[in-house]
Amino acid sequence: MLSPTIWIVVWFMFASTLAVQSLAQTNTEESVVVFRISGQQSIRGGKFGSLAEFQHRLASAAKRCGIPIANEDRFADGTLGPQTFAVILKVAACPDFANSLATDDPARNGAVSSGLWRVVAPDLAIPDGHDRSHTMTLSYESTDYTDIEFNVGTTDPGILTWGPLGATAGQAQQVQAILLLVDQQSPQLIDQSFASEAHAIRLFANTHRTSSLEAQVSAVNASASRAAAWRHGFAALGAVKEVRDDYDIVMGDAGTAGIFEGVADFYCSYWANGWRPTEIDYAFFFDRAVQMDVRQAKTTKAVTAVRNVENRLQRSLSTAERRRAISANFTASPRWAEDRLARDVAYYIDAIPAASLTNRSLSSLRDDSLAMGPPVDDEAARWEARSGKRASDFGLSDERLSPAPPLMAKVRANCNAP
């Protein structure tokens, strides 16, 4: 039988342990959803991005817990799907990691949470709102640095598109700009990647006339062996970090792609009306700028249409309602209008129930005197068929404001936040 003194010591040690555990839980930083996988959907972050790195760390955590992963060599591909969901559930329940997660941590339901990320990949930065917005767009585009598409013979004026942000050979001629930058900095990469097609690639990179570009790409696409050589060559280039950096220089927020300028134009129009963009607003702006021709005149017209709706209803629209009104008044070209609407819904479905997304309510938002592009209907059905994704699946919220793109002060100096 233990003496009273020993009982006191045992009780004190037990109480101290509980206090330490309680203190640890109290000091635990709030864990929020970073990415959430719904059903059989997938979230694509690219095989060279932070999601692939997170999956590597997750696989190591699973191994530590004795959790087997089928086809482990292909697990860390940058795509979050049902398999990643299943592994997260098991790792979150593993004692080695479960004790470091709050009882209500979203990872316990299979989400990639900030809490799980900090435990599994403490040396890897958690994607911020801009990063997750870009991942949302990449999940729609479904292309990586190693991918190209031949567009000749279609209604797509891009002629040839490359990579996660859809660099085009037509229109802005971004593909040529990237290739020229690569050839300037590392000319051996063009020769190593394209072999006998290296001369044709250099000719292509220095061509700017649309008819000549179409002729060159058509000739390549008409030859199975040449088309394969180009696909292999671009895949080889995209696998090189220096090339990906060059791609980002051209397509990034300081480049000439026009994507981030389009986002900045949306910010200018919002700020002019006293509105401060949220995380979901930024994601909405970015996704549109990747797929569409976004310019200040167009964003101003779209926002004016929103203001007219508010005047007619005699109330302010919510952030989600604004995005829906913009979608109704600023549609894409006829070829992409239906797809654009299907993508737009993902940015307001969290706040506007699907049952409310009727054709009548959508058309009531359209101002024919300001509308750009054709009207489109059946938004909820198109969204469900296209993806069923939600901004909240990417951890995005209207409760948090989004910082402006880094280029704002440089290229939009006359635009000031309210």
Side-chain angles (χ1 to χ4, degrees), residues 212-393:
S212 298
L213 288 167
E214 290 177 342
Q216 290 175 36
V217 175
S218 294
V220 171
N221 198 34
S223 167
S225 60
R226 293 193 68 195
W230 278 45
R231 288 193 176 93
H232 177 272
F234 277 99
L237 282 185
V240 178
K241 184 182 184 303
E242 289 75 13
V243 173
R244 297 196 297 273
D245 290 342
D246 288 341
Y247 185 102
D248 292 342
I249 287 172
V250 173
M251 300 300 291
D253 57 13
T256 58
I259 293 173
F260 289 89
E261 289 88 340
V263 174
D265 288 336
F266 267 116
Y267 268 76
C268 287
S269 295
Y270 263 50
W271 285 352
N273 285 274
W275 304 335
R276 300 180 69 91
T278 67
E279 284 184 344
I280 302 181
D281 284 331
Y282 174 89
F284 177 71
F285 302 160
F286 179 80
D287 194 57
R288 289 184 138 248
V290 167
Q291 190 187 37
M292 301 173 63
D293 177 25
V294 175
R295 304 185 186 190
Q296 188 72 73
K298 294 181 177 181
T299 60
T300 298
K301 285 182 69 174
V303 166
T304 300
V306 174
R307 276 297 196 192
N308 289 348
V309 171
E310 291 184 325
N311 291 335
R312 188 168 69 250
L313 296 178
Q314 295 186 327
R315 69 174 178 84
S316 296
L317 297 182
S318 69
T319 52
E321 288 175 324
R322 285 179 199 148
R323 292 189 292 272
R324 189 181 183 218
I326 289 173
S327 182
N329 287 283
F330 184 8
T331 59
S333 61
R335 182 176 187 270
W336 297 107
E338 294 178 356
D339 186 63
R340 181 65 258 161
L341 179 62
R343 287 167 68 153
D344 282 348
V345 175
Y347 299 96
Y348 52 80
I349 188 68
D350 283 306
I352 305 176
S356 301
L357 302 180
T358 64
N359 291 338
R360 182 177 180 178
S361 63
L362 182 64
S363 63
S364 70
L365 299 174
R366 190 172 171 89
D367 185 330
D368 289 332
S369 66
L370 294 167
M372 298 161 283
V376 186
D377 56 12
D378 300 331
E379 58 192 313
R382 295 186 192 282
W383 163 74
E384 187 65 43
R386 179 64 165 85
S387 72
K389 297 184 189 301
R390 298 169 178 265
S392 59
D393 293 337

Side-chain angles (χ1 to χ4, degrees), residues 112-183:
V112 178
S113 69
S114 56
L116 180 68
W117 193 292
R118 286 191 291 266
V119 171
V120 170
D123 60 328
L124 191 64
I126 298 174
D128 62 16
H130 285 188
D131 294 333
R132 285 178 276 120
S133 297
H134 302 169
T135 299
M136 190 168 180
T137 289
L138 181 57
S139 293
Y140 283 120
E141 296 295 308
S142 298
T143 53
D144 212 330
Y145 290 97
T146 52
D147 303 323
I148 63 167
E149 294 178 355
F150 294 107
N151 305 126
V152 288
T154 73
T155 57
D156 190 332
I159 302 176
L160 180 146
T161 55
W162 175 23
L165 294 179
T168 62
Q171 300 168 309
Q173 301 185 358
Q174 299 142 347
V175 175
Q176 294 95 308
I178 299 166
L179 289 173
L180 288 172
L181 187 58
V182 171
D183 206 25

